[in-house]
Amino acid sequence: MKPLFGKNNNGDNIAFSRADTSVLGIWWWTIDRWMLAAVILLMAIGALLVMSASPPVADRINVDSFHFVRRQFVFLGLATLCAFGISLLPIKWVRRLASVMFLGVIGLLIITPFVGSEIKGAVRWIHLAGLTIQPSEFLKPSFAVVVAWMFSEGRLNPNFPGYIVSCLLLATCIILLMIQPDFGQTVVITAIWSTQIFLAGLPMVLVFGLGMGVVGLAVGAYLILPHVQSRVDRFLDPASGDNYQIDRSMEAFMNGGLMGKGPGEGSVKNFLPDAHSDFIFAVAGEEFGLLFCVLVVGVFCFVIMRGLSRLMGERNLFVVLAVTGILVQFGLQAVINMASTLQLVPPKGMTLPFISYGGSATIGIAIGMGFVLALTRKRPGE
């Protein structure tokens, strides 16, 4: 059997053949290489856009122009290591890692209101060992795996209260997130759980009741949380409040047109406060144009469809639920970010996976995709 890349000067194989039984050899021939390539492409696009969007932001806060660029490259390096390391794990270790991670994140969420930093009226970040961490970013992938485990165990063992445990876990997460408050992450967590419980065999009557519950949650958030009410009101009636970032974002897309103004040639990023994070898609629209934005959307769609296609014929209910839950998180975050930037939904501070600047967000989504890559590996004989 020929090796993948050939031989070195000594005649030794320098790449993996299908007969290679090493950990890396088995990993290479069982991993979904198309999905892996798509994730790497998103990271590369993110690095390019952060290099373009972040220097003006850094200049405005009087730090080195490449402050955010250097940090994001570190984050991307750590994210790559996390995704690669997790993708090597067998199914049982994915469950164990996610469970330990989930318990740790719950602990961090409990202490966040007491020791966290308030930014824009919310307490979502804590400082650990000189690092600023947003625990909710690590909650989503671990929650998806743990809840999938509960549902699958409940189906396999009628005596195990999987549905009840999952409901308690969801309620715990919602309470901790709304204390901060973080309505956006609550929506994502609820969407993950709702999709998984539907796939696990939820009766249609309960599906309707669940839908009404989500509507009730949204209405309650509008009535109780002033910042949610403000964002919805400004979306419905732009003249009712400050829409500075949305207006600049739409201006960026209009300036970019079909082909864009060219890398580094955009001007709106000089005035857009969150150009490197929540509104980085607007920078892409202005500098690289509509066609590039369509490419980015296409890559996100490819990752989701590729992941779902790997589940075709999958017999392990846990794998189906866990992968679907993480892909729902991945896709929903992308949709919310891009739709907010295009003024299609009320603005929500949610990052674009692998593209927006941010350590917790980048590493958190990489952990989730590491879980997906691990769970969708080919498993002969299972």
Side-chain angles (χ1 to χ4, degrees):
M1 183 70 66
K2 292 182 179 180
L4 185 60
F5 298 116
K7 300 175 180 291
N8 61 18
N9 294 331
N10 297 323
D12 299 320
N13 290 348
I14 58 173
F16 309 122
S17 72
R18 290 188 179 273
D20 191 342
T21 58
S22 67
V23 173
L24 291 180
I26 295 173
W27 173 84
W28 177 255
W29 291 109
T30 58
I31 201 76
D32 184 352
R33 295 191 292 277
W34 282 104
M35 181 181 291
L36 180 64
V39 169
I40 293 173
L41 177 58
L42 284 176
M43 289 185 176
I45 292 173
L48 173 66
L49 290 177
V50 168
M51 283 192 292
S52 179
S54 66
V57 180
D59 292 340
R60 285 198 297 271
I61 62 174
N62 297 318
V63 297
D64 178 72
S65 295
F66 291 94
H67 171 78
F68 295 111
V69 175
R70 285 194 296 268
R71 290 173 64 88
Q72 187 65 6
F73 270 76
V74 172
F75 298 150
L76 288 172
L78 293 174
T80 301
L81 290 175
C82 288
F84 170 70
I86 293 173
S87 70
L88 293 169
L89 299 177
I91 291 178
K92 65 179 180 179
W93 278 102
V94 168
R95 289 196 293 254
R96 292 172 182 174
L97 176 61
S99 299
V100 172
M101 181 178 167
F102 180 77
L103 292 175
V105 171
I106 289 296
L108 292 178
L109 287 174
I110 291 173
I111 67 172
T112 296
F114 304 100
V115 302
S117 302
E118 181 176 337
I119 301 177
K120 297 181 180 180
V123 183
R124 304 171 186 169
W125 296 265
I126 59 175
H127 298 284
L128 289 176
L131 300 174
T132 302
I133 299 174
Q134 186 176 356
S136 60
E137 293 292 351
F138 302 96
L139 174 68
K140 293 174 288 188
S142 59
F143 175 84
V145 174
V146 170
V147 170
W149 191 6
M150 297 301 101
F151 283 140
S152 61
E153 285 298 313
R155 288 290 299 273
L156 294 173
N157 182 5
N159 296 321
F160 182 78
Y163 286 86
I164 296 176
V165 173
S166 73
C167 290
L168 293 175
L169 295 179
L170 175 66
T172 300
C173 293
I174 289 177
I175 291 171
L176 293 175
L177 289 173
M178 293 306 290
I179 288 174
Q180 296 183 352
D182 194 336
F183 182 68
Q185 303 287 24
T186 302
V187 169
V188 173
I189 287 289
T190 305
I192 293 171
W193 183 87
S194 301
T195 303
Q196 290 177 323
I197 197 171
F198 177 74
L199 293 176
L202 186 68
M204 289 305 297
V205 174
L206 294 181
V207 171
F208 179 78
L210 179 63
M212 292 298 98
V214 171
V215 172
L217 178 65
V219 172
Y222 175 81
L223 297 175
I224 297 173
L225 301 177
H227 72 283
V228 173
Q229 187 176 79
S230 173
R231 288 176 176 177
V232 173
D233 289 344
R234 281 181 286 146
F235 172 73
L236 297 175
D237 181 12
S240 64
D242 179 20
N243 285 291
Y244 178 80
Q245 294 214 92
I246 290 294
D247 292 341
R248 300 289 76 73
S249 175
M250 297 305 295
E251 180 183 337
F253 285 108
M254 289 187 288
N255 290 344
L258 188 64
M259 302 300 295
K261 299 177 67 174
E265 297 300 319
S267 59
V268 172
K269 64 187 179 185
N270 297 320
F271 311 102
L272 201 57
D274 295 327
H276 63 315
S277 54
D278 297 346
F279 285 87
I280 198 167
F281 195 55
V283 176
E286 182 177 33
E287 298 194 354
F288 297 93
L290 174 63
L291 294 181
F292 182 83
C293 291
V294 171
L295 169 65
V296 173
V297 173
V299 177
F300 278 110
C301 291
F302 176 82
V303 171
I304 296 169
M305 297 307 297
R306 182 70 184 182
L308 294 177
S309 71
R310 297 282 286 196
L311 299 178
M312 300 298 292
E314 177 62 59
R315 298 179 180 180
N316 190 319
L317 179 61
F318 164 72
V319 171
V320 172
L321 296 179
V323 171
T324 303
I326 295 173
L327 291 177
V328 166
Q329 173 211 337
F330 182 80
L332 186 58
Q333 281 194 215
V335 168
I336 290 175
N337 177 278
M338 291 185 286
S340 298
T341 306
L342 290 166
Q343 205 174 7
L344 298 177
V345 299
K348 175 68 192 81
M350 190 166 290
T351 57
L352 190 57
F354 290 126
I355 294 181
S356 296
Y357 169 83
S360 296
T362 300
I363 296 173
I365 203 71
I367 290 173
M369 294 313 297
F371 287 148
V372 170
L373 288 169
L375 294 172
T376 57
R377 285 171 57 183
K378 296 176 182 177
R379 300 185 299 278
E382 291 190 14

